[in-house]
């Protein structure tokens, strides 16, 4: 039997353009766009890199590998905060509530957290 890991309660607000209660934004708003990513530069969650770009006056700094044990991915459905490894191992589903995540976010992974290709 697999035990569901415990995750933090939401500690930071989600900043973005036209953010709905499930963290969809003006840029990405299909039924699976329900994650937000925490950026190291401003220690805030954004639904996408475009929201960060439009609402801040600095370059985005992806979540650093040495902080992967800290929560930096937010499920917009149940508000579970996940560390990067838990998000990557979840196969595009929230490990807390099983909500489906958009696999297309993987195309932008390097914008959200340090990856092996860096």
């Amino acid at each position: 039997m697999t035990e569901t890991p415990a995750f933090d309660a939401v500690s930071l607000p989600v900043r973005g353009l036209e953010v709905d209660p499930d963290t969809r934004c003006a840029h990405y708003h299909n039924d699976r766009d329900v994650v937000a990513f925490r950026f190291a530069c401003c220690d805030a969650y954004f639904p996408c890199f475009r929201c960060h770009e439009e609402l801040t006056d600095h370059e985005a700094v992806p979540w650093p590998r040495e902080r992967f044990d800290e929560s930096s991915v937010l499920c917009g459905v149940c508000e579970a905060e996940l560390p990067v490894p838990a998000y990557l191992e979840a196969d595009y589903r929230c490990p807390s509530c099983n909500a489906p995540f958009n696999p297309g976010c993987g195309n932008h992974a390097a914008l959200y957290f340090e990856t092996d290709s860096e």
Side-chain angles (χ1 to χ4, degrees), residues 71-91:
S71 296
S72 60
V73 180
L74 173 69
C75 173
V77 176
C78 72
E79 298 185 349
E81 291 185 280
L82 297 81
V84 173
Y87 170 72
L88 293 174
E89 293 166 5
D91 196 29

Side-chain angles (χ1 to χ4, degrees), residues 12-77:
L12 299 169
V14 177
R15 298 176 56 203
L17 299 174
E18 301 173 34
V19 180
D20 79 4
D22 292 333
T23 71
R24 293 177 193 91
C25 68
H27 306 103
Y28 296 98
H29 43 265
N30 77 39
D31 60 333
R32 292 178 170 233
D33 290 322
V34 294
V35 295
F37 299 93
R38 191 169 163 191
F39 286 83
C41 47
C42 46
D43 200 31
Y45 280 111
F46 290 85
C48 74
F49 66 94
R50 290 186 171 112
C51 282
H52 183 279
E53 187 176 83
E54 292 186 40
L55 294 175
T56 65
D57 60 358
H58 58 266
E59 291 290 318
V61 176
W63 201 252
R65 186 175 307 284
E66 64 269 8
R67 294 181 67 189
F68 273 16
D69 61 329
E70 298 175 40
S71 296
S72 60
V73 180
L74 173 69
C75 173
V77 176

